[in-house]
Each structure stands twice: as structure tokens, then as C-alpha cells.
Amino acid sequence: MVENTKFITHMDILRMPSPEEEIIGKIGKWIASAKPDKDKIATIIFKKNTPTEILKLYEKNYDLIPFPAHKEYKIEK
């Protein structure tokens, strides 16, 4: 008979998000889409009524975006 033992995997170990991950999480909730251009650099489109503080947070932390993106953004109509 085989015992049902549990092995620890990387998913079992929890950690607190880094400050950078928290910032990206705040910004990410307001991103409607990220449309790439011919050079595969995305234009970020924020949801309608995105708070000004989120847009400022994006501008201030643009370098944290985990994919190539233009610094400029658009607001969804």
C-alpha cells in the first residue's frame, strides 16, 4: 500500500509581494489593454475613469512594466 505523502513544491511556499510587485498590481487593475505596434512595443490603454493617482503612478514607475511599452498611454473611450 502506498502512503499518501505530500511533497513541498514551490507553490507551497508563500512570500510577501515586493514593493515593485505591489505597484504593478495597483497599476494592472486599471489597464484595459496593451496593444503592440509593428515594433512589438505596447501602447497601454487604461480603463475609463482611471484615477489620476494611478496614471501618475504609471508615469513614475514606467520602468517596472514587465514588457516593452511606450511611456505614453491612452484612456479607454
Side-chain angles (χ1 to χ4, degrees):
M1 186 160 134
V2 178
E3 280 188 37
N4 187 8
T5 58
K6 180 170 169 65
F7 296 97
I8 295 176
T9 67
H10 66 281
M11 294 302 290
D12 293 324
I13 300 171
L14 300 176
R15 65 173 180 81
M16 294 296 293
S18 69
E20 293 83 8
E21 290 169 329
E22 288 183 10
I23 291 169
I24 290 298
K26 288 178 185 176
I27 295 169
K29 290 178 185 176
W30 290 95
I31 292 178
S33 68
K35 297 183 179 184
D37 60 14
K38 63 180 169 53
D39 298 323
K40 298 183 181 178
I41 300 175
T43 297
I44 304 294
I45 300 176
F46 282 95
K47 295 176 184 175
K48 189 176 181 180
N49 300 323
T50 298
T52 304
E53 67 185 46
I54 297 298
L55 300 174
K56 287 181 182 178
L57 195 62
Y58 172 78
E59 291 171 356
K60 189 175 180 181
N61 297 284
Y62 160 76
D63 58 322
L64 296 177
I65 302 299
F67 50 84
H70 295 289
K71 190 166 187 176
E72 299 80 29
Y73 57 85
K74 296 180 181 179
I75 303 294
E76 187 177 66
K77 294 180 182 179

